[in-house]
Amino acid sequence: MANVVLGAVGGVIGGPFGAMIGAAIGTVIDNRVFGTSMRREGPRLQDLSVQSSAYGVTVPLVYGRTRVAGNVIWSTGLQERRTEEKQGGGKRGSVTTVNYTYSASFAVALSARAIRSVGRVWADGKLIRGTAGQLMVAGRMRVYRGDEAQLPDPLIEAAQGVGQAPAYRGLAYVVFEDLALADFANRIPLLTFEVVADDAPEVPVVAIARDVCARAGLEAVGGAAADAVRGFAIGRDSTAGNALRVLEVLSPLYASEGGTGGVRLADRAPQVPVVIRQRDLGAAAEGESEPRRSVARAGEAMVPREVGLAYLDTARDYQTGLQRARRLSAAGGMSERLELPAALDAHTAKQAAERLMARRWRRREPMTLTLPWRYLSLTPGDAVRLEGETEGAGALWQVREMTVEAGRVLVSAVPVSVEDEVSTAEAEPGVAVPQPDVPHGPTTLHVLDLPPISTAMASGPVLHLAVAGESEGWRRASVAISLDGGFDYGAAADIPARTVMGVVTTVLPPGETACWDRTHAVEVALLAPDMALEARSEASVLAGANLCLIGQELVQFTTAELLPSGRYRLSGLLRGRWGTEAAVSGHTAGERFVLLSGAALVPHDAGLARLGQTLLFKAMGPHEALEDVAAQAVVLTAQALRPLAPVHLQGRRDETGDVHLSWVRRSRQGFDWVDGADAPLAEEAEQYDVQILSGGAVRRQWRVTAPKAVYAAADQTADFGGLPEALSVRVAQVSALVGPGADWNGQVSF
């Protein structure tokens, strides 16, 4: 007895990398592959969403474009990096902070058949690699497409030893090197990948069926329809028959035994059926008086009232979607739900559900025929039509099962119709919450050696780091510092927010520093199109609002006028703020503009030992390597520690010819004008360097401990040969940490 069942197409699809596949049609092939006691489930939607690192877990077979999780096949474990940041120094002591960061290097198998590329990548559901191919977190990713010529990954080979690392030929996988784990609770996150296989994002269903059969060692012929899906994946150990059953939901795919033991595929029932003559219907067996022929009708309670198809929605980053087909007029009935590991749009999924519902209801009336030997050539999948006026005549039937016994051919068939394979249903995928998929782009870094712009007094040479990017996708930057001319770099800061910055496009003329500059204006082009400046009242500006750095001058503004060009015109200025009056002149077009009010500045204490040295800084986005970024050189001048220039210098000559000089000191500890109180000294001791100049050369220099000095008549005669009518004087307050600060330099006449 031979038993041929269309639904019994069997075989194992899977193994550790999904490379071992078997399939069969017919009793002989069934026994060859797995006998009668093995049970394996077909591919399901959830098989694609869970990442594993267990040995022997199946790696998906990927077709078209879809999203899969894969399997971790190699890892170094967590890698710990220890960094020290020293703050303070000198006589006030220092504080050393030790920080630890973690990363991991590992490989993830994606597909047990070759792919074309890897698109987007998600970590714990968050997009970390966009369509442009840039990682949005620190680290590197390499893609191996699974061809037969690929070589071992150099990182794996370095860890395993030369000649000891597998090339994983035939397996598509990715390698992450030093993937930063700070955003994922210092663990390897759940990673899912958009994988692209075959020649295009869409792949014919028949092409998938042929590949499944070929991996089972069976030749598949036929099947020329163009029904296609965006993507499909077989994500667990499965039989070829189970995979074909899932494909049948997506397309009217019929599989049957071929003439040479292979598989015959058809996308629709043949249009030219085999006609069963009326006289051949119900052939009686020997010893029987009545022929066998029956049509059974299942009750409505046995067929689905609703069919739901779960799928990967291409309009929502492959999140699970659900489309339903309902027959509300049916009494009772069950609800059927199928999970399809297929990437579809909502329309295609809805139409597939409608077609499946139509097939379920039409096939609730199967027919059993008893035919003579001449119909032994029929095979499952063939279409037949009954001749005559008998029940079922004229309809199209598909052979589902055949049994040969007692000189007769027993045929089980179900009604089919081309009408069941047509659906024009439409559906919406629902509201999606898209994740930004814009390239991170380069980072602009400004290392600012600022005067003390806060009320807190600096105790060490602090540099302020400001970063931003012009791309809409810019999110963060890591800043590295080199203290040895670029030979070695260490972590300086990880900055997760940007500072509003740009360049000035017009020259800011010199202006008054003791009152409002209502005459001059300057135009600014901001770095990113979504950056903005806003106007503030004079009271707000006097309270500290709208402080910016233009070149080396600290400026505040009340008015920010947005021009048609997208630039801003700033006016209503306060100039030379916080002791930067020396930078009021000498501005140029194209110099830097940094908004300091509300900025995400990150302080970096370089240490007093580095005073006067050149430091190198690099700012890297998540996708950038240290060696790919140009260094920015900064000479550490410790502006925050340098005393401000004295003001209001006056001189008078007494009756003996001595010159009495006096001035008013300023403090770097605060700029508030408090009535009835002197500004704090902010230095260990009060002392000043006084210089008398002639033609730019220093004629005499001495140090005093009060804001006054006497230039004796005898010294004037020694320096100038007499008593000059005017003197060129330079006065600077002295810091015990960094020496003389900014100076007052001018003429004193008598």
Side-chain angles (χ1 to χ4, degrees), residues 440-447 465-468 474 476-481 489 493 495 616-626 628-632:
H440 188 276
T443 297
T444 298
L445 167 68
H446 288 300
V447 182
L465 309 177
V467 294
W474 190 94
R476 63 192 310 149
S478 297
V479 180
I481 182 174
Y489 278 86
I495 308 177
L616 300 180
F617 289 86
K618 289 187 176 185
M620 293 79 64
H623 65 287
E624 294 176 306
L626 182 71
D628 297 333
V629 178
Q632 185 176 140

Side-chain angles (χ1 to χ4, degrees), residues 6-32:
L6 178 64
V9 180
V12 180
I13 302 176
F17 298 134
M20 301 301 297
I21 297 178
I25 298 179
T27 302
V28 176
I29 301 176
D30 287 347
N31 290 335
R32 184 188 72 190

Side-chain angles (χ1 to χ4, degrees), residues 686-707:
E686 185 174 9
Q687 50 186 352
Y688 305 88
D689 280 348
V690 182
Q691 295 177 337
I692 304 299
L693 309 176
S694 177
V698 178
R699 290 296 184 95
R700 185 170 295 273
Q701 176 175 320
W702 69 101
R703 180 166 292 181
V704 297
T705 58

Side-chain angles (χ1 to χ4, degrees), residues 274-284 369-379 382 384 387 399 402-411:
V274 175
V275 177
I276 307 297
R277 290 179 295 181
Q278 187 174 12
R279 69 172 181 267
D280 293 330
L281 294 173
L369 299 174
T370 306
L371 302 175
W373 272 94
R374 70 172 59 93
Y375 292 98
L376 188 60
S377 61
L378 287 175
T379 60
D382 283 347
V384 298
E387 182 185 57
V399 176
M402 292 178 59
T403 303
V404 180
E405 64 175 27
R408 300 170 305 172
V409 179
L410 304 182
V411 176

Side-chain angles (χ1 to χ4, degrees), residues 3 36 115 124 165 174 210-211 310 637 678:
N3 184 33
T36 59
I115 65 173
D124 291 343
V174 298
R210 287 175 179 168
D211 186 74
T637 59
D678 250 349

Side-chain angles (χ1 to χ4, degrees), residues 444-459:
T444 298
L445 167 68
H446 288 300
V447 182
L448 309 178
D449 195 346
L450 297 172
I453 58 175
S454 67
T455 56
M457 185 173 65
S459 60

Side-chain angles (χ1 to χ4, degrees), residues 114-155:
I115 65 173
R116 291 178 58 85
S117 63
V118 173
R120 294 171 290 174
V121 179
W122 294 263
D124 291 343
K126 176 184 177 182
L127 188 70
I128 64 167
R129 184 180 191 256
T131 54
Q134 294 180 351
L135 280 178
M136 302 173 186
V137 295
R140 295 183 179 182
M141 189 186 92
R142 293 184 290 276
V143 177
Y144 292 87
R145 298 187 296 176
D147 57 57
E148 295 301 324
Q150 71 186 16
L151 299 175
D153 180 79
L155 180 64

